[in-house]
Amino acid sequence: MLEVSGLQASYGAGQVLFGVDLRVGEGEVVTLLGRNGMGKTTTVNAIMGLLAPKAGRVAFCGRELTGRPAHEAARAGLGLVPEGRQIFPNLTVRENLVATANGGADGRGAWTLERVFALFPRLQERQDQMGSSLSGGEQQMLAIGRALMTNPRLLLLDEATEGLAPLIRKEIWQVLLSLKRAGQSILVIDKNVKALKRIADRHYVLEKGRIVWQGSSAELEAERERLERHLGV
Ligand code: ADP
């Protein structure tokens, strides 16, 4: 479904990605692992059209997205939960959820407020509160709910549980697992390799803008020691 090949990206004169290849298949949960500063967010931003790549190709469901603006990526069915959540602080929870909602790329429109509230009962309780009044964990739930309301064919999460309390993290992992069971395709960035090994099908390890390893969860477990220095665990 997502095909990224030879992706290169720079900030000014500083090149950050040196030819990233990765793919996500229909219904797959795939991770992008690596220590801080290795280029994970840059990869996601280049896929989403938030940063114009220097070279390489991004294709999604047979559609050419390379260098196209972010609204086209969204329309094609890419739903981003950005690093730092970036919810609208001056809108209520409910308004945040409906502000960018749409029926999705194939127009089936399966996600509704009711379904998001069933997934995150806490958001229902707080539906009339301002985004700014939520805890970090609630904001992350809101960011996930908001992305789901666009009915994405592929959900991308940049730092899924960064900075969240252990119980909230567990809740987020549980939600991702239930989404996976429902057939949702997901590309996820996080540092929690242990949780990701349980949830994800395949993994990519990024080191200084290059994919240095890829494999299944079983392979990741088998090669854990060798990979530890790339993962910073
Ligand atoms: P990761 O997500 O793996 O932590 P990033 O993609 O955020 O890594 O960053 C990769 C590199 O690009 C880092 O060296 C970072 O300092 C640099 N970088 C990230 N964003 C910018 C920016 N807006 N301007 C300049 N350099 C940046």
Side-chain angles (χ1 to χ4, degrees), residues 11 16 34-43 83 158-159 206:
Y11 297 104
V16 171
R35 288 175 290 132
N36 282 337
M38 292 299 137
K40 302 182 298 297
T41 295
T42 304
T43 301
E83 187 176 24
D158 190 355
E159 300 290 4
L206 198 57

Side-chain angles (χ1 to χ4, degrees), residues 17-36:
L17 302 183
F18 296 88
V20 172
D21 299 303
L22 66 87
R23 50 173 297 278
V24 182
E26 185 92 49
E28 262 195 318
V29 176
V30 173
T31 76
L32 191 52
L33 305 172
R35 288 175 290 132
N36 282 337

Side-chain angles (χ1 to χ4, degrees), residues 27-105:
E28 262 195 318
V29 176
V30 173
T31 76
L32 191 52
L33 305 172
R35 288 175 290 132
N36 282 337
M38 292 299 137
K40 302 182 298 297
T41 295
T42 304
T43 301
V44 165
N45 287 349
I47 292 171
M48 286 303 299
L50 296 165
L51 174 74
K54 205 169 113 124
R57 185 162 176 260
V58 178
F60 184 64
C61 296
R63 220 159 130 171
E64 186 65 43
L65 283 183
T66 318
R68 307 300 305 163
H71 65 84
E72 262 186 52
R75 199 177 321 132
L78 293 171
L80 175 65
V81 179
E83 187 176 24
R85 347 274 189 225
Q86 298 177 27
I87 58 151
F88 305 117
N90 301 322
L91 296 184
T92 66
V93 166
R94 172 187 280 267
E95 287 165 346
N96 262 279
L97 289 171
V98 299
T100 53
N102 73 55

Side-chain angles (χ1 to χ4, degrees), residues 102-173:
N102 73 55
D106 54 10
R108 273 181 299 144
W111 282 95
T112 58
L113 270 180
E114 289 65 35
R115 270 191 73 198
V116 169
F117 288 157
L119 195 64
F120 297 115
R122 227 186 277 235
L123 293 183
Q124 180 158 27
E125 290 162 21
R126 304 212 182 331
Q127 60 178 296
D128 297 317
Q129 280 182 224
M130 288 296 173
S132 57
S133 73
L134 301 182
S135 70
E138 290 161 355
Q139 289 192 14
Q140 183 66 343
M141 293 173 190
L142 182 55
I144 295 172
R146 182 178 63 178
L148 289 173
M149 290 289 283
T150 69
N151 287 287
R153 296 168 82 164
L154 176 65
L155 183 66
L156 299 98
L157 293 106
D158 190 355
E159 300 290 4
T161 66
E162 172 95 334
L164 302 181
L167 269 178
I168 305 283
R169 284 185 179 199
K170 228 170 133 186
E171 203 173 328
I172 302 277
W173 295 131

